[in-house]
Amino acid sequence: MLQTTKKEDPMSKKERTAIEPTRAENYAEWYQQVIRAADLAENSEVRGCMVIKPWGYAIWENIQRFLDEMFRETGHRNAYFPIFIPKSYFEKEAEHVEGFAKECAVVTHSKLEDDGKGGLKPAGELTEPYIVRPTSETIIGASFAKWVNSYRDLPLLINQWANIVRWEMRTRLFLRTTEFLWQEGHTVHESQAEAMDETLKMLDIYARFAQDYLAIPVIKGEKTEGEKFPGAVNTYCIEAMMQDKKALQSGTSHFLGQNFAQASNIRFQNREGEFQHAWTTSWGVSTRLIGALIMAHSDDNGLVLPPKIAPSHIAIIPIYRDEAEHAAVMALAKSINEAFKHTEFEGVRVYTELDDRDLTSSERNWYWIKKGIPLRVEIGPRDVASNSVMVARRDQGSREKRSVAVESVVEHCLQTLSAMQLNILEQALLFREANTVKIDGKDAFYAFFTPKNSQQPEIHGGFALSHWCGGSACEEKIKEDLKVTVRCIPFDSEPEQGKCVCCGQPSERRVIFAKSY
RNA sequence: CGGGAUGUAGCGCAGUCCGGUUAGCGCGCUCGGUUCGGGACCGAGAAGUCGGAGGUUCAAAUCCUCUCAUCCCGACCA
């Protein structure tokens, strides 16, 4: 009889990972598995829509809380507008219609009737169909037109937290779903300059939020004509690099000029007593940020969360064999758990999870590793004896643990949380820098973005800083050949003479090319 | 909407080509016990309209027709 041994060929031996496949093996599948393992969300019965589960929703609530505070500080106030937009409102801005028409859910009836076959059929057809908002410029514009009469009413700074619907063909949890949650700011200004200032100020806030809270370094820049928001004059964005070296647009801010003011008739009497159209802006971030968070930091053992955005910070895991040990260990675990009450780091309140479930200690450990909790505090009989505990950080190897004396455990953990926040940002920044290269010449450019194995493309490419003539023909050509687009024209790019990487025509500056989500 | 594939227990799958016991397996779940400092083990158990409707047949997860849904690849996107 054949004896099969557990011993593997030492060459192929590798540490077991909590997530399979690994990032290197199949990044797209890894992403799905991280979400499942961390229990963030799941696909619902409704096509293209997700159910956001408590651990995932708590992340969104933290995003909301911190951003909302920043909006308030800059003078914005929250309001709420209808989810339904009359079709006629929507039609007012031509480019806007063109951009969104293909992905709108339309409400045409107001009730259901017995269809005579044991089912129901829509009845009470509406005289005018409603569109479920894909964005709210037009419906908010209708209100703004009434609210704004004088330069004294300006600036008008409004934000709305809402759900929106965009009927997408292909969906991925958090990155692109039919319904998603977001925040949309809408502001009205007296002058072009003031509206532009506002547009850029909010982009700054997004960039700061991404770096300081999500620990995701972002590049601020302007979208090309082809990539901008339908109806906007200029669209600005923050772009982040994911671990598969693709770009993820993580937030946008639009200078709308007077386009929507004209469409919605937002007029005011200026200081000279003349009527003029106002200048408007809009800006938003969405639950997509959670997708960014996952793909920027997580590893082959599951989610990694920057402490400031984590729903909970410390898992306390008692380890014991019998009742006597259980009692002793739990006494210490509870007192430590208690000691964290009302503590904070970086202005963020600390939450703990005392996990006393009837599972093996390693099972409980891995549970929290996969959920991305920043710190794990293990407390066993040996710790009770030595009046210390073992502390493990999620941003380090799963076996790396450190013994910490009980009296200093709170201080140690709080300091470590702060340190982790910076370390995670630093790691993401190093990754992006290592994968951002200046590329000149068409051959080098094409080589950079072409996988070595076309059957099963490996993780390749990155951000290419290359010259572009500014022509949409070149942009299209590159998109067609390589699925690579101009992610943005970065603000910090220095003017520099060069040749377009596609057509060789003179170019004034480098832009960021990348594959994107 | 075009091209490809798949629907069998909570999840992942085998069985379908070539119809024939009571539809299996792994994980998970429940109960009991031994365990517990890196994903434990033993024993027992529960759980399935085989996506749906119709047909062929003595007999259908298996063959035929229709239908619904999902996934992947394209066109679109925060």
Side-chain angles (χ1 to χ4, degrees):
Chain A
M1 190 173 159
L2 254 171
Q3 184 103 30
T4 53
T5 59
K6 285 276 170 66
K7 287 261 193 268
E8 305 252 336
D9 174 11
M11 294 301 288
S12 69
K13 197 165 76 182
K14 62 169 189 180
E15 182 109 344
R16 180 183 169 192
T17 57
I19 304 296
E20 301 213 353
T22 60
R23 286 164 291 182
E25 286 162 357
N26 184 342
Y27 194 83
E29 181 63 19
W30 165 84
Y31 175 77
Q32 309 267 57
Q33 294 305 325
V34 170
I35 290 172
R36 187 211 284 254
D39 209 23
L40 295 176
E42 61 189 25
N43 280 306
S44 82
E45 303 301 304
V46 183
R47 178 204 184 98
C49 295
M50 62 180 161
V51 174
I52 306 177
K53 300 183 77 172
W55 193 251
Y57 197 74
I59 294 173
W60 179 240
E61 288 180 309
N62 282 342
I63 290 172
Q64 285 186 299
R65 200 153 51 83
F66 296 126
L67 269 178
D68 203 58
E69 188 67 27
M70 293 168 103
F71 296 157
R72 269 197 78 95
E73 280 169 8
T74 41
H76 302 84
R77 292 296 178 266
N78 288 331
Y80 188 80
F81 299 85
I83 191 172
F84 299 125
I85 302 178
K87 186 163 73 74
S88 59
Y89 285 29
F90 203 74
E91 288 163 345
K92 287 176 184 168
E93 218 290 334
E95 268 186 47
H96 197 60
V97 174
E98 204 185 322
F100 285 109
K102 278 175 283 184
E103 50 188 51
C104 286
V106 185
V107 178
T108 53
H109 293 75
S110 66
K111 62 179 173 182
L112 294 167
E113 277 177 3
D114 195 329
D115 67 356
K117 289 178 268 181
L120 294 166
K121 63 177 181 189
E125 187 168 357
L126 304 179
T127 51
E128 180 180 359
Y130 289 140
I131 291 160
V132 180
R133 64 180 163 223
T135 179
S136 304
E137 275 75 7
T138 55
I139 188 89
I140 292 180
S143 286
F144 284 2
K146 290 191 281 188
W147 298 356
V148 172
N149 294 302
S150 151
Y151 71 89
R152 293 190 181 91
D153 297 325
L154 300 176
L156 179 57
L157 308 174
I158 297 294
N159 179 63
Q160 147 165 288
W161 290 97
N163 60 335
I164 60 178
V165 167
R166 293 183 187 175
W167 212 269
E168 301 288 352
M169 288 298 158
R170 293 178 60 191
T171 58
R172 288 184 79 186
L173 288 174
F174 293 117
L175 296 177
R176 178 165 301 110
T177 47
T178 299
E179 181 191 20
F180 59 97
L181 306 181
W182 80 346
Q183 136 301 294
E184 48 180 325
H186 295 271
T187 68
V188 189
H189 306 267
E190 198 179 339
S191 70
Q192 175 171 11
E194 192 185 299
M196 185 56 92
D197 280 352
E198 168 79 8
T199 308
L200 297 177
K201 181 204 285 178
M202 298 322 288
L203 189 73
D204 260 346
I205 283 183
Y206 288 156
R208 228 170 63 218
F209 174 74
Q211 308 209 38
D212 293 352
Y213 289 88
L214 306 180
I216 300 173
V218 294
I219 293 171
K220 290 184 283 185
E222 180 170 359
K223 283 293 184 192
T224 64
E225 196 62 23
E227 298 269 332
K228 74 176 194 192
F229 177 76
V233 175
N234 308 94
T235 287
Y236 302 94
C237 63
I238 52 173
E239 293 283 332
M241 184 187 284
M242 303 295 103
Q243 289 182 84
D244 60 352
K245 306 180 191 175
K246 285 192 191 171
L248 182 73
Q249 179 176 311
S250 308
T252 49
S253 187
H254 315 292
F255 171 68
L256 302 175
Q258 294 174 306
N259 292 351
F260 285 90
Q262 278 161 4
S264 298
N265 203 27
I266 306 172
R267 296 195 311 158
F268 66 98
Q269 266 186 299
N270 63 21
R271 290 158 206 263
E272 283 74 47
E274 300 158 341
F275 281 98
Q276 72 163 87
H277 283 111
W279 301 81
T280 65
T281 80
S282 68
W283 26 274
V285 296
S286 70
T287 37
R288 178 177 247 202
L289 285 177
I290 297 174
L293 206 50
I294 296 164
M295 289 200 292
H297 305 312
S298 298
D299 63 20
D300 295 337
N301 284 328
L303 194 62
V304 173
L305 290 169
K308 283 164 89 170
I309 212 75
S312 186
H313 307 93
I314 303 167
I316 298 171
I317 301 169
I319 299 164
Y320 49 87
R321 275 169 302 203
D322 52 39
E323 266 315 306
E325 284 183 356
H326 181 241
V329 163
M330 281 306 288
L332 180 54
K334 279 180 179 163
S335 79
I336 288 176
N337 191 38
E338 202 59 31
F340 279 109
K341 291 250 152 59
H342 311 299
T343 58
E344 50 180 56
F345 70 101
E346 306 289 314
V348 175
R349 176 174 168 184
V350 172
Y351 286 93
T352 58
E353 309 285 337
L354 176 50
D355 188 353
D356 187 30
R357 288 177 298 168
D358 185 20
L359 298 167
T360 64
S361 57
S362 44
E363 186 66 29
R364 284 175 282 151
N365 245 316
W366 281 102
Y367 174 87
W368 290 108
I369 290 172
K370 287 184 279 192
K371 282 182 112 63
I373 203 156
L375 292 175
R376 303 189 309 285
V377 173
E378 294 180 24
I379 305 173
R382 294 208 291 270
D383 300 307
V384 172
S386 64
N387 205 36
S388 64
V389 298
M390 298 300 288
V391 179
R393 327 172 22 157
R394 185 63 184 85
D395 62 341
Q396 294 178 342
S398 67
R399 289 170 185 280
E400 284 182 52
K401 283 184 275 191
R402 180 171 173 162
S403 179
V404 178
V406 165
E407 61 267 25
S408 56
V409 67
V410 170
E411 194 194 348
H412 173 82
C413 287
L414 298 181
Q415 281 174 2
T416 306
L417 289 170
S418 296
M420 287 177 73
Q421 183 75 32
L422 292 176
N423 181 52
I424 292 171
L425 172 63
E426 181 68 13
Q427 294 308 311
L429 188 58
L430 286 173
F431 183 85
R432 189 187 76 193
E433 283 172 352
N435 292 291
T436 302
V437 284
K438 286 188 179 178
I439 295 185
D440 294 302
K442 193 165 185 170
D443 291 347
F445 187 86
Y446 274 62
F448 185 67
F449 285 116
T450 305
K452 292 187 172 60
N453 179 357
S454 59
Q455 296 302 307
Q456 214 174 358
E458 73 285 356
I459 292 175
H460 66 278
F463 285 4
L465 286 165
S466 296
H467 279 281
W468 171 54
C469 63
S472 58
C474 288
E475 205 178 357
E476 277 301 311
K477 170 100 174 96
I478 288 169
K479 187 175 180 181
E480 188 134 322
D481 290 352
L482 299 168
K483 292 182 194 164
V484 165
T485 49
V486 178
R487 296 324 303 154
C488 70
I489 303 157
F491 289 165
D492 61 8
S493 80
E494 301 290 325
E496 175 192 302
Q497 296 304 313
K499 286 179 180 168
C500 176
V501 81
C502 181
C503 67
Q505 295 294 304
S507 149
E508 303 283 308
R509 62 162 47 79
R510 291 176 186 272
V511 300
I512 293 181
F513 284 96
K515 292 187 184 177
S516 73
Y517 279 95

